[in-house]
Amino acid sequence: MPPPTMRRKKIPWLPIIMVLGAIGAVLVIGAQYTDRGLRDAAPRAKGANVAGAITPTDTFKGDLIVQPIAFSHKIHAKDNGINCLYCHTYARRSKVAGIPPTSKCMGCHTVIATDKPEIIKLTKMWENRTPPLWKKINDLPDFVHFSHEKHLRRFLFDNAGQPVERADQVCAMCHGDVKNMTVDVKSKPLTMGFCTRCHEANKGPSSCTACHK
């Protein structure tokens, strides 16, 4: 007598797709509410001064994160007029802005402000070959693709009205008024809503794959 035929169980694709769709909708709506909550709770500030651009005015109150060296952006970028791109040299040619190597800092600080406590700490690290372990302030989720190079090209290098000397204003669009900060603090929400509003205002790409690879 032949064995009974095994009947394959049907997978209920339709209910599964409906459940996944509902979960996706909840996540999207939740993200929008979170972003709206952050936006509504945060005070508005004057936007950065970038020629031909509508710059974001959203603000965010980030926590002060203790860094190995209390690097003052104000002393370097404002008081001494050092361009952001001098230290964050990768920004103009890659996705990341980069942190300068200690050797670059010591290029100045072997002779400048050598008696200051933070410079003494830095010098000891340099001599011991132990670079400062900086903590990231303006981080994005791994599924977000952000390119410093593309944004700098759009708002600075390909923007005839914006001199390279005012790169700080382009940086301020996403990082806030870092030029007047001592240790950097996150001051822009950097949420999906924050990015999409800026893209809409400045005719940036709107496809999902522009930011999510």
Side-chain angles (χ1 to χ4, degrees):
M1 185 176 174
T5 305
M6 295 286 290
R7 297 186 65 186
R8 294 185 65 183
K9 215 171 181 179
K10 284 188 178 177
I11 300 174
W13 287 111
L14 184 59
I16 290 174
I17 291 170
M18 290 176 69
V19 169
L20 290 176
I23 292 173
V26 168
L27 289 175
V28 170
I29 292 170
Q32 288 176 340
Y33 270 102
T34 302
D35 175 62
R36 190 178 302 167
L38 287 171
R39 187 155 40 106
D40 293 344
R44 292 283 172 164
K46 187 180 175 184
N49 185 14
V50 177
I54 299 173
T55 58
T57 56
D58 312 52
T59 59
F60 180 86
K61 190 171 175 52
D63 295 327
L64 177 62
I65 296 176
V66 177
Q67 298 285 2
I69 301 289
F71 177 87
S72 172
H73 287 82
K74 180 177 178 297
I75 290 175
H76 291 80
K78 184 176 182 181
D79 298 348
N80 291 290
I82 298 174
N83 195 301
C84 306
L85 300 179
Y86 176 75
C87 294
H88 298 289
T89 186
Y90 307 137
R92 65 176 181 269
R93 56 175 183 257
S94 72
K95 284 176 61 177
V96 298
I99 298 291
T102 311
S103 58
K104 191 160 197 172
C105 308
M106 295 309 295
C108 294
H109 286 299
T110 49
V111 293
I112 296 173
T114 54
D115 60 333
K116 301 294 183 187
E118 296 305 302
I119 303 305
I120 292 172
K121 278 168 60 179
L122 180 70
T123 303
K124 282 184 180 173
M125 290 179 178
W126 168 247
E127 291 171 348
N128 293 332
R129 297 178 179 272
T130 53
L133 299 178
W134 302 105
K135 296 169 186 168
K136 202 166 186 179
I137 303 299
N138 295 288
D139 205 3
L140 292 173
D142 291 342
F143 55 82
V144 177
H145 170 82
F146 176 89
S147 170
H148 281 81
E149 179 192 9
K150 287 184 179 176
H151 287 79
L152 280 174
R153 197 186 312 143
R154 162 69 176 81
F155 292 109
L156 184 65
F157 298 120
D158 290 348
N159 185 358
Q162 189 70 13
V164 175
E165 291 78 10
R166 297 313 312 273
D168 62 294
Q169 292 300 304
V170 178
C171 302
M173 291 174 72
C174 298
H175 298 300
D177 192 14
V178 178
K179 201 172 179 178
N180 280 305
M181 296 182 193
T182 49
V183 175
D184 187 19
V185 175
K186 183 177 178 181
S187 60
K188 294 288 183 181
L190 302 183
T191 58
M192 183 172 170
F194 173 81
C195 298
T196 53
R197 283 192 295 279
C198 190
H199 276 228
E200 288 168 1
N202 293 290
K203 297 184 171 61
S206 58
S207 68
C208 300
T209 54
C211 303
H212 302 290
K213 302 295 183 186

